Amino acid sequence: MVSYADDITPLSSHCILQTAGNQLQPYLNSLFDWTKANQLTINPDKCAATVFSTDSSEYSYKTSLKINGPIIPAETHIKILGVTFDPKLVFNKHIDLTVEKAKKSL
């Protein structure tokens, strides 16, 4: 798990995607129960699931991860603490966005 302030990024790793999801779901359930017990809410608009892999056929994998019912949407490019990640972890999208932002300020 990676966390900073109120951002939490739970992680699971396994060569079989379904197994990785099965390992992660109990944690998501516990996380939801904890937030409920502490009168906190999870913003579903800020939740996303992604797959990091060298196998491009896995990029379209749709997880069945849920937080209190709704399935967490899958995204290919997610932003964590200002860094945009891509499925292959080559950071092309992050570099493109950084260059675009720099050009605007010049």
Side-chain angles (χ1 to χ4, degrees), residues 4 7 14 18 22-24 29 41-42 45 54-55 57 62-64 74-75 78-80 82 84 94-95 98 101 103:
Y4 179 79
D7 289 330
H14 198 279
Q18 184 65 39
N22 291 342
Q23 292 172 346
L24 193 55
N29 296 341
T41 57
I42 296 174
D45 295 333
T54 55
D55 183 357
S57 68
K62 301 295 182 201
T63 69
S64 58
E75 291 186 21
I78 59 166
K79 194 175 211 178
I80 301 172
T84 303
H94 180 74
I95 293 167
T98 303
K101 187 176 179 181
K103 284 181 180 178

Side-chain angles (χ1 to χ4, degrees), residues 22-82:
N22 291 342
Q23 292 172 346
L24 193 55
Q25 188 59 59
Y27 176 77
L28 295 176
N29 296 341
S30 296
L31 180 64
F32 175 75
D33 293 342
W34 183 86
T35 59
K36 188 175 176 184
N38 289 281
Q39 299 176 351
L40 299 170
T41 57
I42 296 174
N43 185 347
D45 295 333
K46 292 188 174 184
C47 295
T50 193
V51 172
F52 299 112
S53 175
T54 55
D55 183 357
S56 60
S57 68
E58 294 180 337
Y59 299 161
S60 61
Y61 178 77
K62 301 295 182 201
T63 69
S64 58
L65 297 171
K66 298 178 181 183
I67 295 181
N68 190 30
I71 293 178
I72 298 171
E75 291 186 21
T76 54
H77 295 90
I78 59 166
K79 194 175 211 178
I80 301 172
L81 299 177

